[in-house]
């Protein structure tokens, strides 16, 4: 791993056992799996926070969907398949 550092964390025993089982099943180290899980978590949450910021900026500009726009979307998703 290029430019890595050590992070110590506590896991409950059940989660550690699950991680150990996954580690054996995938032939990956616990460290690799934990780092991958943290990477995915951080990526997802960064994306989510950015989307929330964009939404707040739109709201501050008054860029909202009108009643007719909302009704159209609701109809689209609630119509029964024919």
């Amino acid at each position: 791993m290029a430019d890595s550092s050590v992070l110590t964390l506590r896991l409950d025993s059940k989660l550690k056992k699950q991680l150990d089982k996954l580690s054996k099943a995938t032939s990956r180290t616990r460290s690799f799996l934990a780092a991958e899980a943290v990477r995915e978590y951080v990526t997802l949450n960064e994306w989510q926070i950015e989307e929330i910021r964009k939404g707040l900026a739109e709201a501050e500009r008054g860029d909202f969907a009108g009643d007719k726009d909302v009704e159209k979307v609701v109809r689209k998703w609630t119509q029964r398949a024919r």
Side-chain angles (χ1 to χ4, degrees):
M1 241 187 215
D3 194 31
S4 64
S5 59
V6 175
L7 170 70
T8 302
L9 64 122
R10 294 187 187 277
L11 302 174
D12 65 55
S13 59
K14 182 180 177 185
L15 182 56
K16 184 178 178 290
K17 287 177 186 175
Q18 288 175 296
L19 184 59
D20 287 337
K21 187 176 178 181
L22 184 60
S23 174
K24 287 179 184 176
T26 60
S27 299
R28 298 288 192 169
T29 64
R30 285 187 310 218
S31 180
F32 174 87
L33 295 176
E36 186 64 21
V38 170
R39 186 178 302 105
E40 289 182 24
Y41 180 87
V42 168
T43 299
L44 173 64
N45 281 274
E46 283 179 335
W47 170 83
Q48 233 173 5
I49 289 168
E50 182 58 28
E51 291 301 309
I52 290 168
R53 285 184 178 142
K54 288 177 186 176
L56 289 172
E58 288 175 3
E60 287 173 1
R61 290 191 308 269
D63 189 7
F64 293 99
D67 291 344
K68 289 182 180 181
D69 295 325
V70 173
E71 288 172 10
K72 184 178 176 182
V73 171
V74 169
R75 273 195 308 276
K76 175 183 175 183
W77 291 104
T78 58
Q79 284 181 338
R80 293 181 181 217
R82 295 180 186 183

